Amino acid sequence: EMRTLMIYLMKQKDVLDLTFHSSVGHSFMGLLVSFLIVNRSQISYNRFMEYRRHLGTCYRTCRELGQYTAVYTFQTQTQEAAWWRQEVCYRTILLLRVTMDAVLWSSTDR
């Protein structure tokens, strides 16, 4: 490549030495690679914690919805009211399961 040739010629003519000594170059590359690995790990961990926080909010909200349906319809003890409470809780659990499957599906090999 032309750049390599230019660096080589500048060093041979004692104009400018752009080469690294072997220990300095390896140390620099090791530092660069370790920084990139740590940075990538931090990004992945932050993304995991964000998703965990959102799923926790979903679970908490669905649990509260089930509790609210029980509290607001506590005075009504008919068969239809019991069926309605059960149906709200069932559909809420189903919604959570579909959400969890969507998260799992997007993070696995297809």
Side-chain angles (χ1 to χ4, degrees), residues 24-82:
V24 174
H26 289 289
S27 297
F28 178 72
M29 289 305 292
L31 179 68
L32 183 64
V33 168
S34 64
F35 171 75
L36 292 175
I37 289 173
V38 168
N39 193 21
R40 179 72 177 181
S41 299
Q42 186 67 32
I43 290 170
S44 296
Y45 180 74
N46 287 340
R47 187 178 300 154
F48 167 76
M49 290 306 289
E50 181 182 359
Y51 291 155
R52 181 175 178 253
R53 196 170 36 252
H54 288 311
L55 281 175
T57 302
C58 285
Y59 285 131
R60 191 173 31 261
T61 303
C62 290
R63 184 178 61 232
E64 287 175 0
L65 180 64
Q67 291 171 348
Y68 289 152
T69 57
V71 168
Y72 290 147
T73 61
F74 181 74
Q75 296 297 324
T76 309
Q77 295 296 326
T78 64
Q79 187 69 14
E80 292 84 18

Side-chain angles (χ1 to χ4, degrees), residues 80-96:
E80 292 84 18
W83 176 84
W84 182 79
R85 287 190 291 268
Q86 184 179 2
E87 190 68 21
V88 168
C89 290
Y90 172 74
R91 289 176 188 246
T92 303
I93 291 170
L94 191 63
L95 180 64
L96 279 174

